[in-house]
Every structure is written in C-alpha cells, then in structure tokens.
C-alpha cells in the first residue's frame, strides 16, 4: 500500500540478472526496481528513502530513482526503462555476471560477397606487416647490392601489386617453356638453354617478389590487399615452379615427381598457418624463399651445363664419366654405411635432401605453434584438414594410373592410361588452382582477423573425382569428370580473386593495380618528408 514504508534496498548477488535491454547503458536498473520496489510507480512519497542506505551503490541507484519519482510519479515499468535508457549518467557496476554488449553492426563496404564476411571487413584497417626475413644472402648480398639499386628504376607512381604481377609473368614464361620442350616432363632431350631460361625466370620472379614490398614502403601504400596479392601469387608460383624441377626429374606426372615437387609447397602452407595463429612470420637465416630458390636455380644451371642425361646416371658412373677414381670413395662410403648413395643419381640424392629439409621445416612450424598454446594445438590442426584432403586426393589420383598399360608404349612409372598420364599439364594446373585457393583462404582470414574455416565447398568435386579415379563408381567417363572438375577449379578461383580484390579494395578505399588520389597524396607527403630529412 502507498502508506507502507518501503524496505531498505538490498542488492541480490546470489541470483544473476535476467537482462533484455542490451542496448541500454542502464540495463540493470529496471530489474532491480521491479524486484525490490514492486509498488514503486504508485508511491509518490518515498523520494527521500536514499538517506539511510548502507552501501554506496544503493545510494547512487536511489538518487536516480528519486529523480524519476519527482519527475513523473505515475510511470509504468516500460516508461521508467525508456527514461533510464535516455539518461547520460552511467550507473555503477552492479554484478560481474552481466553479459557483454552486443557486437557493433558493421555495414558491408562493398558488394555482396561469399568470401569476405562484412562483419570483419573493418579489421582490414588494423593490419600491419609482420614478416621478418633474416636471410643471410638477402641481408648481406642481394638487398644492398641489387634490390636497393633496382628499386630506383621503378616509377614511383607504379602500384606495388603491378610489380608482383610483373614477376608472375616470368613464371608464366617458365611454364610455357616446360610445356613446349619437356613433352609432359618425360623428355630426356631438353635443350640446355631451356634450363638457363627457367633459372633466369625464377631469379627475375624472386627479384620482383622482394621489390614489391620495397615499392609499397616507398609509396606508403602497404595494406592488407598487398599482403593478399603477394601471398596469393606466392601460392600459385610455389606450385607452378615445380614444373621446372619435374622437367629435371623427367619422371612425368607420377607419385615420385609429386612427392618431391610438393617439398616447397608444404613449408609454405605451414608458414602461412603459423602466421595466422602467431600473427608473425619470421624467416630463418637459411629459408626457402631465398636460399631455397637459389638452390633450384643452381640445379637448373648445372643441368644445363652437364646435360639432362648425365645427371640421371648413378653417382659412380658419373664419376667414371669424368675420370674420377671411385675406389677410394667407395671405401669411404662403405665405412660410413652410405654405399647405397653411389647407386643413385644426383637428382635422386638432391630430392632426398630437399625432402628432408622440407620435413624439418614443417616440423619446426608445428613446434612453434605447439609451444605457443599446447592445449589448443589439436583444434588448430583441424584448420589443415582441407589441405590434407586435397593433397591426399591428388596422390590417390596419381597412384590410380600407375601400373596400368601405357598409352603410347613408353616405359617408366609415369606411364599409364589415367588422367595424370594423358593430361599431365592440365592435371597439375587443376591442383595449382585448388592449392592456391586453400592457401589464400588462410591469408584472407589472417588479414581480416576472422575465424578460419575447416572445410570448403570447392573441394567437393575434386574429392569425388579422386575417389572415382580409384574406385570407379560414377557412370561417366573419367575424361568428362576431369573436364568438369577443371572448369570448376578455374571458375571458383577466378571468382574468389575478383570477389576478394573488389571487396577489400572498396573497404580500404584503395586501388587494386592503380594508386588512387588518396594514395598519391600520401606518397607526396612521404616525398616531402624525405626531402626535409635530406636537407636537415
């Protein structure tokens, strides 16, 4: 009743508040007034009840309650909540169990996207480059004597992404040479100048891959879009550059060539995966992008000098070919328990070394992730499930055609009547598009600070095709199935590139391959700052 004095205000800390007004900064007050003052809106004479409160929180709450009573004594509960929501005074925290505020609604900066979640596009502005290269060759030889000289020949208004794409053109030239002169990576009569040209293409690509970052810092246009373009190109090149080494192996599209051609791709995936979780990418003093590529170039040049047929001879025959005594070497190798090495060719021994280095590199990346958060390591491994499925499916497709009768009467483990034997170039291109798509998904999630997906719909056709190549359960011809899968891979990756580049460039308000007005203004400011520093 109105004449009864209301009991002292006591905060109920044993029972969590049930709050529905998430948008109100005073969302806990309506519940307190409803529970502690059931007749609050009918009691106009209780405006001085905050004098005898024992807790400071209760006093502050009653001050707000008294102000509302004096203003309008006949408010109902909804009106009180609405009035409290519009006040500017922030009440004290009542309970630590209050739920957090709902996330802000972030509008889509660009067109509807199936790859870029609009809720994470605002994180693109927070991106900062985190990669550090400690390569000895790059730090003390290539950068001071080559890269810093060549950067001045690039126009200042040239977009860094154009520098990246220019390097990718040289890889396309490499692929074209391998396709024309290697006869499906099985020919042993490849001209020497082809190997020299492939080595030159790799060197030019490596140079452009280093100059794009320097151009971005020079023009002040470093961004998440540049990271996506650089890593996306690296993902494609990691797979396409394997054409040159498969041409050296001359084993065709076989499981042997696949295993050793994936040596650069596996560390690349592991490094990208570690960058997503640790938010840093640190290259060691001897790493794949620098010393690894230089080693491949050296192998191509050596193959061009001695000939493709010579490097496939067993090591002891090769030594005899150059009149090198082998008895002493055979005794030393036998004493070390490595006499088997003399029975294999230089290419096979080099492949074994590269495979060992790749395995150790991948293990090191895994170890770094495990040390960071050991409890989360099993869940983080699930992010590599799509890549594992793609590689396993490719291996099964290759293994399914080995041991069959050859199509053209050739001999060797590369022969067969399956898709990898009949269309080796197209088969590897299909693998390249899927590999680049999966690797770019990790980079996209990293720059957007978004959750990493554990499966992608783009893998479904490839998995079905690989399973059918091994078990033959579909009523269609294998050529038709592979053609559909190839078209799907090309279209899927093309849509991904266009979708991501368009939405990211719109969100950051930058150009994809051309500097816009804002970037040009930033570049002029940097030029003025450099000029002032030189004058000082």
């Amino acid at each position: 009743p109105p004449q009864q004095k209301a009991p002292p205000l006591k905060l109920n800390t044993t029972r969590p508040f049930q709050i529905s007004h998430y948008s109100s900064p005073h969302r806990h007050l309506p519940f307190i007034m409803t529970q502690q003052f059931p007749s609050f809106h009918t009691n106009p004479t209780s405006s001085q009840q905050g004098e005898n409160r024992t807790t400071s929180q209760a006093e502050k709450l009653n001050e707000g309650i008294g102000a509302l009573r004096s203003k309008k004594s006949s408010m109902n509960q909804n009106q009180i909540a609405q009035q409290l929501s519009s006040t500017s005074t922030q009440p004290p925290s009542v309970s630590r169990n209050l739920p957090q505020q709902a996330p802000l609604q972030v509008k889509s900066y660009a067109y509807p996207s199936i790859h870029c979640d609009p809720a994470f596009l605002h994180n693109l502005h927070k991106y900062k480059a985190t990669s550090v290269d400690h390569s000895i060759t790059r730090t003390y030889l290539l950068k001071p004597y080559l890269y810093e000289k060549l950067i001045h020949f690039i126009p200042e208004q040239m977009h860094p992404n154009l520098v990246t794409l220019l390097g990718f053109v040289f890889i396309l030239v490499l692929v074209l040479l391998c396709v024309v002169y290697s006869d499906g990576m099985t020919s042993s009569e490849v001209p020497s100048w082809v190997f020299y040209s492939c080595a030159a293409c790799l060197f030019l690509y490596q140079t452009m891959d280093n100059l794009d970052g320097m151009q971005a810092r020079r023009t002040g246009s470093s961004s998440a879009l540049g990271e996506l373009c650089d890593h996306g190109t690296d993902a494609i090149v990691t797979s396409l550059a394997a054409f040159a080494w498969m041409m050296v192996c001359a084993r065709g599209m076989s499981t042997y060539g696949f295993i050793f051609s994936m040596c650069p791709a596996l560390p690349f995936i592991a490094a990208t995966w570690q960058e997503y979780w640790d938010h840093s990418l640190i290259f060691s003093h001897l790493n794949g992008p620098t010393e690894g590529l230089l080693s491949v170039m050296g192998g191509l040049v050596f193959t061009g000098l001695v000939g493709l047929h010579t490097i496939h001879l067993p090591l002891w025959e090769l030594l005899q070919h150059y009149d090198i005594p082998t008895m002493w070497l055979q005794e030393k190798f036998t004493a070390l328990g490595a006499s088997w090495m003399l029975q294999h060719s230089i290419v096979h021994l080099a492949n074994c070394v590269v495979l060992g280095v790749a395995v150790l590199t991948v293990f090191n990346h895994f170890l770094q992730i495990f040390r960071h958060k050991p409890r989360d390591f099993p869940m983080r491994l699930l992010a590599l499930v799509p890549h594992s499925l793609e590689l396993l499916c490719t291996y099964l497709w290759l293994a399914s055609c080995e041991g069959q009768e050859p199509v053209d009467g050739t001999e060797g483990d590369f022969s067969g009547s399956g898709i990898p034997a009949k269309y080796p170039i197209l088969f590897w291109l299909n693998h390249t598009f899927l590999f680049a798509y999966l690797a770019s998904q990790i980079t996209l999630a990293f720059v957007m600070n978004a959750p990493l997906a554990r499966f992608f719909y783009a893998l479904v056709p490839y998995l079905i095709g690989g399973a059918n190549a091994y078990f033959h359960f579909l009523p269609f011809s294998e050529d038709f199935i592979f053609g559909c899968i190839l078209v799907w891979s090309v279209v899927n990756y093309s849509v991904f590139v266009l979708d991501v580049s368009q939405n990211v460039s719109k969100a950051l308000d930058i150009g994809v391959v051309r500097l816009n007005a804002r970037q040009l203004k930033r570049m002029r400011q940097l030029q003025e700052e450099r000029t002032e520093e030189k004058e000082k």
Side-chain angles (χ1 to χ4, degrees), residues 81-95:
Q82 183 178 2
Q83 182 67 25
L84 288 173
S85 300
S86 61
T87 57
S88 59
T89 304
Q90 181 72 20
S93 176
V94 179
S95 174

Side-chain angles (χ1 to χ4, degrees), residues 387-408:
H387 307 273
S388 303
L389 290 176
E390 193 273 332
L391 295 178
L392 178 62
C393 187
T394 303
Y395 180 83
L396 291 177
W397 211 325
L398 289 168
S400 64
C401 70
E402 292 187 0
Q404 301 177 8
E405 295 183 0
V407 177
D408 53 358

Side-chain angles (χ1 to χ4, degrees), residues 291-443:
E291 284 78 14
L293 268 180
L294 291 175
S295 301
V296 175
M297 299 174 206
L300 291 171
V301 172
F302 178 77
T303 304
L305 291 173
V306 302
L308 187 60
H309 177 73
T310 304
I311 64 171
H312 284 280
L313 293 174
L315 187 57
W316 65 273
E317 290 187 13
L318 181 63
L319 297 176
Q320 290 179 353
H321 179 76
Y322 289 97
D323 298 330
I324 300 176
T326 59
M327 295 300 297
W328 178 81
L329 287 176
Q330 188 173 3
E331 292 177 359
K332 295 298 181 181
F333 274 76
T334 304
L336 295 174
S339 58
W340 58 271
M341 297 178 61
L342 296 174
Q343 307 299 326
H344 295 281
S345 63
I346 295 180
V347 176
H348 183 74
L349 296 177
N351 286 335
C352 293
V353 173
V354 172
L355 180 62
V357 173
V359 171
L360 291 177
T361 304
V362 172
F363 177 78
N364 180 60
H365 288 298
F366 278 50
L367 186 62
Q368 296 298 327
I369 294 292
F370 180 79
R371 288 178 176 177
H372 184 63
K373 285 187 177 181
R375 294 182 178 181
D376 297 340
F377 184 74
M379 296 301 297
R380 293 181 174 184
L381 279 177
L382 295 178
L384 297 178
V385 170
H387 307 273
S388 303
L389 290 176
E390 193 273 332
L391 295 178
L392 178 62
C393 187
T394 303
Y395 180 83
L396 291 177
W397 211 325
L398 289 168
S400 64
C401 70
E402 292 187 0
Q404 301 177 8
E405 295 183 0
V407 177
D408 53 358
T410 56
E411 296 180 359
D413 62 350
F414 54 84
S415 62
S417 59
I419 292 297
K422 292 191 291 185
Y423 314 106
I425 306 299
L426 295 178
F427 179 81
W428 193 256
L429 288 177
N430 181 77
H431 159 73
T432 299
F433 288 122
L434 285 175
F435 177 82
Y437 173 78
L438 296 177
S440 300
Q441 288 283 357
I442 300 180
T443 306

